[in-house]
Amino acid sequence: MINLKEINKYYEVKKQRSFVLKSVNLTIKEGEFVSIMGPSGAGKSTLLNIIGLLDEPSEGEYRFYDDSMSNIKEKKKVDYHRNHIGFIFQAYHLIEEMTVYENIETPLIYKGIKNRERKTIIANLLEQFNLGDKKDLFPSQLSGGQQQLVGIARAVAGKPKLLLADEPTGNLHTDQGIMIMDLLKKLNAEGITIIQVTHNKEFAKYGNRIINLVDGLVEEEK
């Protein structure tokens, strides 16, 4: 599904290259649940952003479903984001002026899904995520755990093949974090490939592979 070959990411600082990622080689198969760990500044989020087409490598080759992601046009990126890749962020990124229902509905509108089908999809998600009684509330009226649930529901509404989670439990209490991780495990069992960045060793174990990044290098895999 994902193949990274000799990926480098660097910035030019006073005519010298400051590397964020160095010679990253990584293959992720469809259906895997991969946890990426490492200290702050190791390049974890940068790697996730490259995989999610939010950033581009300075050098190297990235192939998604055997298609090259090098120099792809913006229209093609939008297509991947609408139809193949979902994102969960630590900061939730919910739209404050929209209700729970409207936040979940937004990606479905972008996909051009008709109103009747949208209603069915959202009703199923609200039930699955136990958010039915929260559908008319705004993000500010929800707890952190509830906001993250809405973020995940929005991310999976369009049935992505790949779900990228950047510290999805970082702002949550332990019990809320366990709830979110159990949900991700369930989504993975339903066939969604998941890549998460986490500092939490226990939550990393929810994945079937753990990748460690240190100073931009893949140091080891367990």
Side-chain angles (χ1 to χ4, degrees):
M1 183 182 200
I2 292 166
N3 191 276
L4 304 178
K5 188 174 181 181
E6 293 296 317
I7 294 291
N8 290 320
K9 180 67 178 182
Y10 55 77
Y11 299 95
E12 298 284 349
V13 181
K14 296 181 180 178
K15 296 184 179 181
Q16 288 192 339
R17 289 178 176 177
S18 176
F19 280 84
V20 182
L21 296 172
K22 303 174 188 174
S23 299
V24 171
N25 293 288
L26 185 61
T27 298
I28 296 172
K29 296 177 182 178
E30 192 164 14
E32 284 199 280
F33 187 158
V34 177
S35 298
I36 300 174
M37 297 195 72
S40 297
K44 303 184 299 300
S45 292
T46 299
L47 178 58
L48 205 68
N49 287 340
I50 287 173
I51 292 172
L53 303 177
L54 298 178
D55 199 356
E56 296 179 0
S58 304
E59 297 169 343
E61 183 181 23
Y62 170 26
R63 301 188 76 84
F64 186 75
Y65 279 116
D66 217 29
D67 291 331
S68 175
M69 296 295 105
S70 299
N71 303 313
I72 67 169
K73 295 181 179 178
E74 195 62 34
K75 185 177 179 181
K76 190 71 173 174
K77 281 186 185 179
V78 171
D79 178 66
Y80 275 108
H81 289 151
R82 282 181 182 170
N83 299 302
H84 300 288
I85 303 171
F87 295 90
I88 305 169
F89 302 98
Q90 179 178 354
Y92 316 135
H93 288 303
L94 300 179
I95 301 168
E96 291 294 331
E97 296 79 17
M98 288 186 175
T99 63
V100 166
Y101 187 101
E102 291 166 338
N103 266 281
I104 298 172
E105 184 180 36
T106 299
L108 300 175
I109 293 173
Y110 284 135
K111 283 191 74 170
I113 294 174
K114 293 181 179 179
N115 185 48
R116 182 179 294 179
E117 188 180 351
R118 291 203 307 269
K119 285 182 177 179
T120 300
I121 292 170
I122 297 167
N124 289 337
L125 286 168
L126 289 170
E127 182 179 354
Q128 180 183 359
F129 289 74
N130 199 26
L131 289 167
D133 60 340
K134 305 289 191 297
K135 68 183 181 69
D136 296 321
L137 298 182
F138 293 91
S140 61
Q141 297 172 293
L142 303 175
S143 69
Q146 289 166 345
Q147 289 187 59
Q148 191 61 291
L149 282 175
V150 177
I152 297 172
R154 182 182 61 183
V156 302
K159 296 185 177 178
K161 295 178 175 67
L162 174 65
L163 190 58
L164 303 175
D166 194 356
E167 295 283 359
T169 63
N171 289 330
L172 304 179
H173 300 302
T174 301
D175 288 348
Q176 293 174 324
I178 291 170
M179 174 184 66
I180 296 301
M181 292 309 305
D182 286 342
L183 179 56
L184 291 181
K185 192 74 173 177
K186 182 172 180 285
L187 291 169
N188 177 243
E190 292 172 359
I192 298 178
T193 304
I194 297 178
I195 305 173
Q196 72 157 339
V197 163
T198 182
H199 281 97
N200 188 306
K201 290 182 179 179
E202 291 305 311
F203 291 163
K205 293 176 183 177
Y206 277 75
N208 58 286
R209 289 169 65 196
I210 298 176
I211 294 165
N212 287 288
L213 268 181
V214 179
D215 295 331
L217 293 162
V218 175
E219 188 176 70
E220 64 177 277
E221 293 188 22
K222 300 179 187 176

